[in-house]
Amino acid sequence: MKLDKDFYLREDVVLVARELLGKVLYTFQDGALSAGIITETEAYNGIEDKASHAYGNRRTQRTEVMYAAGGIAYVYFCYGLHHLVNVVTGREGNPQAVLVRAMKPVLGIDVMLIRRKMQRNSPLLSNGPGKLSQALGITGNFNGLSLLGQQIWIEAPLVNKPFEIVTRTRIGIDYAEEHVYLPYRFYIKDEKYISKP
DNA sequence: TTCCCGATTTACT
DNA sequence: GTAAATCGGGAAA
């Protein structure tokens, strides 16, 4: 069952970031289905978060997607090399988003290996935001797509394994001044597919 | 139009 | 541990 619109429309992006852990992110791309369990997320708290692209209510062509109502993907090109995928949350006008930083592959591992040019499955397949997007075939074309559609979506797992959540500061946001220290990064304890434990 | 630099990854030393 | 790869967004001019 896909997560419904109400899951994403909530205003508490930190709560949504925590609840996305353990959920399953799917894509249908290149005629292939692939999916992984979300193991690591980061919350970006809209206009008041100095680490957020929408800090200070910045509205540009790129950030406009974040201002839409929750339940769509925000995919952006970083360092001229990588695509990073976010889950937009909150009501229209509130530009909150959750960065999906890592996943444990569960479906379509063969096609993920081809996309990543790897021989065998290992955490290197998807233990980082750029790697995860590459593994799932996510490109800029996914920007703005509904998470209730046929190309990218999120489901609750069939069987729920209990897990502990580790809370840390976010990564790669040294420009965010005092907001560098906000406890907005979450990952599943003892999970191998984590970007930087 | 110019300039700086980034929510990263990978290959080296 | 350090550095290169690589290009578009955003602010300033």
Side-chain angles (χ1 to χ4, degrees):
Chain A
M1 277 273 292
K2 290 177 185 175
L3 300 183
D4 60 34
K5 193 81 176 171
D6 289 338
F7 179 92
Y8 302 106
L9 288 175
R10 293 174 294 172
E11 300 287 335
D12 187 344
V13 68
V14 169
L15 176 71
V16 176
R18 294 173 65 93
E19 291 192 0
L20 278 172
L21 293 176
K23 301 295 191 294
V24 187
L25 174 61
Y26 287 82
T27 60
F28 186 75
Q29 176 70 354
D30 311 317
L33 189 63
S34 41
I37 298 170
I38 296 171
T39 55
E40 178 179 349
T41 61
E42 282 180 359
Y44 285 83
N45 191 20
I47 65 174
E48 55 188 59
D49 182 353
K50 289 186 177 179
S52 168
H53 293 158
Y55 173 64
N57 210 36
R58 179 197 287 138
R59 290 189 90 125
T60 64
Q61 187 165 10
R62 180 174 70 152
T63 64
E64 201 58 31
V65 172
M66 302 177 78
Y67 286 83
I72 64 174
Y74 168 45
V75 180
Y76 89 98
F77 194 49
C78 187
Y79 292 104
L81 297 162
H82 310 289
H83 293 280
L84 277 58
V85 61
N86 294 251
V87 172
V88 175
T89 72
R91 289 179 293 220
E92 182 176 358
N94 186 358
Q96 297 181 329
V98 176
L99 171 67
V100 184
R101 288 191 58 89
M103 70 172 183
K104 178 179 183 175
V106 292
L107 190 62
I109 292 176
D110 49 352
V111 69
M112 291 190 201
L113 289 170
I114 292 169
R115 289 171 178 145
R116 294 273 300 127
K117 299 180 174 28
M118 288 174 58
Q119 304 298 318
R120 296 176 172 283
N121 188 1
S122 84
L124 293 176
L125 188 58
S126 56
N127 66 344
K131 300 174 195 174
L132 175 152
S133 293
Q134 189 180 26
L136 289 174
I138 293 172
T139 68
N141 294 331
F142 281 67
N143 190 39
L145 290 184
S146 170
L147 295 174
L148 286 81
Q150 305 301 311
Q151 294 164 86
I152 179 169
W153 67 94
I154 302 174
E155 299 188 13
L158 246 41
V159 285
N160 262 301
K161 285 186 192 171
F163 55 83
E164 282 185 51
I165 297 177
V166 178
T167 302
R168 290 288 184 268
T169 54
R170 293 173 291 183
I171 291 177
I173 55 157
D174 295 345
Y175 56 87
E177 302 175 23
E178 75 274 18
H179 292 173
V180 163
Y181 304 107
L182 290 173
Y184 282 180
R185 174 172 176 245
F186 310 98
Y187 61 85
I188 295 177
K189 187 181 181 185
D190 296 329
E191 175 55 56
K192 291 190 180 67
Y193 291 77
I194 299 295
S195 63
K196 290 176 183 174

